[in-house]
C-alpha cells in the first residue's frame, strides 16, 4: 500500500515528524482503519526518497504513541484505538495546524484581527459550499 503522504525538505519540520504527523492524520481521519497494513520502513523510505533511519524513527514514535504495531515477520499495522484517544488526537492535529497557520500569518505581518477575518472568510466559503451541495 502506498501512503498518500508528502514530505518537504524545505520545511523546518524534521522529515520524521512530517511522516509521523501525516500518518497520524490518516489514522484519526479514518483513511487508515485499524488492521490496515502499512508499507515496510524500507518501502516507505524509497517512496518518500528519505533515509531508512528517518522512516524508522517515525514508525518508532507512532508505535510508542499507540497508533501502530509491528508484528515480527508479518509487518506493521494500524492499531485499534480508544474513541477518547482518537478524539483527543483529532483535536491536537487541528490545533497544531492552526498554530502553524497563525505563526505563518504573524510572520507575514498579519494582526490577530486580520487572521480572524481570514479564518471567518474560509469558514463562510466552506459553509456556502456545504449549502450548495445539500
Amino acid at each position: 500500500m502506498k501512503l498518500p503522504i508528502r514530505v518537504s525538505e524545505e520545511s523546518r519540520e524534521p522529515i520524521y515528524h512530517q511522516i509521523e504527523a501525516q500518518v497520524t492524520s490518516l489514522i484519526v481521519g479514518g483513511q487508515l482503519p485499524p488492521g490496515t497494513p502499512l508499507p515496510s520502513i524500507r518501502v516507505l523510505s524509497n517512496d518518500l526518497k528519505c533515509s531508512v533511519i528517518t522512516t524508522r524513527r517515525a514508525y518508532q514514535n507512532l508505535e510508542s504513541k499507540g497508533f501502530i504495531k509491528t508484528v515480527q515477520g508479518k509487518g506493521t499495522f494500524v492499531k485499534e484505538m480508544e474513541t477518547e484517544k482518537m478524539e483527543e488526537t483529532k483535536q491536537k492535529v487541528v490545533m497544531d495546524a492552526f498554530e502553524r497557520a497563525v505563526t505563518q500569518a504573524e510572520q507575514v505581518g498579519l494582526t490577530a484581527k486580520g487572521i480572524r477575518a481570514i479564518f471567518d472568510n474560509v469558514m463562510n466559503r466552506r459553509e456556502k459550499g456545504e449549502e450548495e451541495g445539500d
Side-chain angles (χ1 to χ4, degrees), residues 102-119:
V102 168
T103 298
Q104 189 170 14
E106 290 171 341
Q107 287 172 348
V108 298
L110 288 177
T111 63
K113 186 176 181 180
I115 295 167
R116 278 192 192 92
I118 291 171
F119 178 79

Side-chain angles (χ1 to χ4, degrees), residues 38-74:
L38 298 177
S40 71
I41 290 169
R42 195 170 306 283
V43 167
L44 184 59
S45 66
N46 279 340
D47 288 348
L48 300 177
K49 298 182 182 16
C50 67
S51 129
V52 170
I53 295 166
T54 299
T55 308
R56 180 178 295 119
R57 182 168 182 186
Y59 271 28
Q60 286 171 336
N61 290 348
L62 288 163
E63 191 156 14
S64 72
K65 291 176 182 176
F67 291 104
I68 65 175
K69 65 180 175 187
T70 301
V71 179
Q72 195 67 32
K74 293 193 176 186

